[in-house]
C-alpha cells in the first residue's frame, strides 16, 4: 500500500532507476527511456510537500498502474511515465534532421577572448574558427554551438554589435559547409542575426528571460531552442543563494519555463532542456543534478548536458586546470549517456564521439542478448 503521507496536496516526481542491459524476455517488467537505447526496471517516486521530500519510494515498472490506482495523483503519475518513455521526435533542420534516439555531441566553438577554457583561441579569424567547426563536424559532432560572449563567472557583458560581429561570420561559413549550427546567446538581436545567417537552433543560458524580446524572436522564427536553468537569469548566469533541494527545484523551474514558452507560441516539440551544470550551483548541487539527471525526462523534452571541462572536474580531480580535464569530461559525458541525455555539449569532440561510439557498441551488444 502507498504511504499515507502522500496526500492530495503533494507534488509527485518520477525518476527512472534500475537500468537493465536488455528488455528481451522482460515484457511488462521494464520501460524504455525516451525512445532511446536505455531500459529501466523501476521508478523512484518522490512526493514533495511544502518544499520537503515527504516520500521516496522505489516502484517497479510492473507495479506503477497499481500505485496510480491508490493515489489522488494517479493520472498525473501515469502521465509522467508516458512522457519519460515517449520517443523524442527528430528535429527537421533544413535538409537534415537532428535525431534523439541515441546520444549526440554538440561541439563548443567559442569566438570570445575570455571563455574559461578556450578564450581567444578562435577570436578575430572567422575562417579559422569555421575551420575548427568543420573539423568538429568531421569528427562526429551533430551540432556546432557558436558563442560570441563568455558565460564564465565574472565575465563582462558584451555589446550586441560585437557579439554579432564575432559570431555571425562563423555561422555563415559553417552553414554554407552543411553543418547544423546553434547560436549560444541570450540577446534577441544576436539570435535574429544568427538565424538570418542560417543558424538552426538557439541555445540560451538565460532560457529566453534575459532579453524581453527573445521569446518573440524564437517563436517567430519557429526554430528549436535550448532552455538552460540558472537561478536568476535577469542578473546573469551565476547568481542565486543556494538550494534546499537542487534536483527538484531545478526540475520545477524548467517545467514552469517550458510551460511559459509554450504559452508564448513555441512548440513543445522544439524545446530542449539543460539543467545548467556549473551555473549558480555548488559542487554538491552539481553532483545531485548529474546523479539525478534521468528525472528531467519527465519534462518530455530532449535533455542537453553541458559539463565539459567545468569546475566540477577540477574540484574532484586535484584542481586540474581546464585544459587538463579531458578524462573527467569524458566520465561526465558517459554518465549523461547512461542516464539518457540526448545532446552532450563538449569541447573535446573527437574523444567524446569515440567514447560514445564504444558505449553505443556495448549497448547494442547488450540489447540483443537474450
Amino acid at each position: 500500500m502507498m504511504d499515507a503521507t502522500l496526500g492530495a496536496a503533494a507534488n509527485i516526481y518520477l525518476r527512472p532507476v534500475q537500468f537493465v542491459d536488455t528488455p528481451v524476455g522482460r515484457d511488462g517488467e521494464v520501460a524504455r527511456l525516451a525512445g532511446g537505447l536505455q531500459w529501466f526496471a523501476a521508478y523512484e517516486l518522490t512526493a514533495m510537500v511544502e518544499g520537503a521530500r515527504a516520500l521516496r519510494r522505489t516502484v517497479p515498472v510492473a507495479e506503477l498502474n497499481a500505485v496510480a490506482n491508490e493515489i489522488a495523483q494517479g493520472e498525473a503519475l501515469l502521465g509522467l511515465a508516458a512522457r519519460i518513455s515517449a520517443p523524442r521526435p527528430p528535429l527537421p533542420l533544413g535538409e537534415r534532421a537532428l535525431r534523439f534516439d541515441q546520444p549526440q555531441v554538440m561541439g563548443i566553438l567559442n569566438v570570445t577572448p575570455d571563455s574559461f577554457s578556450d578564450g581567444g583561441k578562435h577570436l578575430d579569424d572567422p575562417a579559422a574558427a569555421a575551420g575548427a567547426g568543420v573539423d568538429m563536424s568531421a569528427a562526429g559532432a551533430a551540432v556546432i554551438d557558436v558563442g560570441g560572449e563568455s558565460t564564465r563567472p565574472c565575465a563582462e557583458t558584451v555589446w550586441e554589435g560585437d557579439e554579432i560581429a564575432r559570431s555571425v561570420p562563423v555561422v555563415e561559413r559553417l552553414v554554407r559547409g552543411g553543418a547544423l549550427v546553434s547560436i549560444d546567446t541570450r540577446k534577441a538581436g544576436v539570435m535574429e542575426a544568427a538565424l538570418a545567417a542560417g543558424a538552426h537552433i538557439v541555445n540560451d543560458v538565460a532560457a529566453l528571460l534575459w532579453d524581453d524580446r527573445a521569446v518573440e524572436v524564437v517563436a517567430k522564427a519557429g526554430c528549436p531552442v535550448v532552455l538552460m536553468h540558472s537561478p536568476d537569469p535577469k542578473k546573469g548566469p551565476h547568481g542565486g543563494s543556494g538550494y534546499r533541494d537542487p534536483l527538484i527545484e531545478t526540475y520545477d523551474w524548467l517545467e514552469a519555463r517550458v510551460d511559459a514558452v509554450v504559452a508564448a507560441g513555441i512548440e513543445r516539440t522544439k524545446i530542449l532542456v539543460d539543467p545548467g551544470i556549473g551555473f549558480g550551483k555548488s559542487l554538491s548541487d552539481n553532483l545531485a543534478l548529474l546523479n539525478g539527471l534521468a528525472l528531467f525526462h519527465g519534462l518530455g523534452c530532449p535533455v542537453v548536458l553541458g559539463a565539459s571541462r567545468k569546475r566540477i572536474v577540477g574540484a574532484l580531480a586535484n584542481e586540474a586546470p581546464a585544459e587538463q580535464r579531458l578524462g573527467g569530461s569524458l566520465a561526465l559525458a558517459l554518465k549523461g549517456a547512461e542516464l539518457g541525455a540526448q545532446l552532450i555539449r563538449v569541447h573535446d569532440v573527437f574523444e567524446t564521439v569515440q567514447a560514445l561510439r564504444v558505449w553505443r557498441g556495448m549497448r547494442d551488444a547488450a540489447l540483443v542478448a537474450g
Side-chain angles (χ1 to χ4, degrees), residues 61-87:
V61 166
E63 297 178 14
L64 189 70
N65 285 334
V67 170
N69 289 332
E70 295 179 17
I71 62 175
Q73 303 91 337
E75 186 175 345
L77 186 73
L78 296 178
L80 274 174
R83 275 189 178 177
I84 287 168
S85 288

Side-chain angles (χ1 to χ4, degrees), residues 242-266:
Y243 304 87
R244 183 177 180 180
D245 191 319
L247 181 62
I248 296 297
E249 290 173 41
T250 300
Y251 181 97
D252 286 347
W253 190 97
L254 283 170
E255 182 178 42
R257 192 67 199 129
V258 169
D259 289 345
V261 166
V262 169
I266 297 173

Side-chain angles (χ1 to χ4, degrees), residues 108-175:
I108 299 169
L109 184 58
N110 289 318
V111 279
T112 60
D114 56 345
S115 290
F116 82 94
S117 178
D118 55 356
K121 188 175 181 180
H122 303 299
L123 186 66
D124 298 329
D125 192 342
V134 169
D135 289 344
M136 290 180 186
S137 292
V143 181
I144 308 301
D145 192 39
V146 179
E149 178 183 53
S150 173
T151 54
R152 65 175 177 79
C154 302
E156 293 186 5
T157 302
V158 175
W159 175 54
E160 186 175 280
D162 286 341
E163 191 175 340
I164 290 171
R166 291 173 180 176
S167 59
V168 167
V170 181
V171 170
E172 290 173 337
R173 287 169 167 82
L174 288 170
V175 171

Side-chain angles (χ1 to χ4, degrees), residues 301-351:
C301 302
V303 175
V304 179
L305 177 64
S308 174
R309 299 188 188 176
K310 287 192 174 175
R311 177 75 187 88
I312 183 175
V313 178
L316 296 173
N318 298 320
E319 300 301 330
E323 67 275 11
Q324 296 178 16
R325 296 176 182 172
L326 173 60
S329 297
L330 291 176
L332 295 174
L334 292 174
K335 180 68 172 180
E338 180 182 303
L339 296 179
Q342 285 93 352
L343 200 56
I344 300 174
R345 184 177 181 271
V346 303
H347 299 84
D348 303 292
V349 170
F350 176 87
E351 294 84 354

Side-chain angles (χ1 to χ4, degrees), residues 15 53 243 245-248 250 275-294 296 305 307 310-317 328 331-332 335-336 339:
R15 179 169 70 94
R53 296 198 185 207
Y243 304 87
D245 191 319
L247 181 62
I248 296 297
T250 300
I277 301 298
F279 287 86
K281 300 173 180 76
S282 68
L283 174 61
S284 62
D285 296 335
N286 289 321
L287 291 171
L289 291 171
L290 287 161
N291 284 325
L293 191 68
F296 295 100
L305 177 64
K310 287 192 174 175
R311 177 75 187 88
I312 183 175
V313 178
L316 296 173
L332 295 174
K335 180 68 172 180
L339 296 179

Side-chain angles (χ1 to χ4, degrees), residues 197-274:
H200 305 89
I201 301 169
V202 168
N203 179 18
D204 186 359
V205 298
L208 305 181
L209 284 168
W210 193 82
D211 189 319
D212 292 338
R213 286 201 312 117
V215 171
E216 175 189 345
V217 168
V218 172
K220 182 178 179 180
C223 66
V225 61
V226 181
L227 303 177
M228 194 199 81
H229 171 272
S230 63
D232 191 351
K234 276 288 188 182
K235 294 182 179 179
H238 294 282
S241 56
Y243 304 87
R244 183 177 180 180
D245 191 319
L247 181 62
I248 296 297
E249 290 173 41
T250 300
Y251 181 97
D252 286 347
W253 190 97
L254 283 170
E255 182 178 42
R257 192 67 199 129
V258 169
D259 289 345
V261 166
V262 169
I266 297 173
E267 295 177 35
R268 192 181 188 98
T269 56
K270 293 183 177 180
I271 298 172
L272 299 84
V273 295
D274 181 341

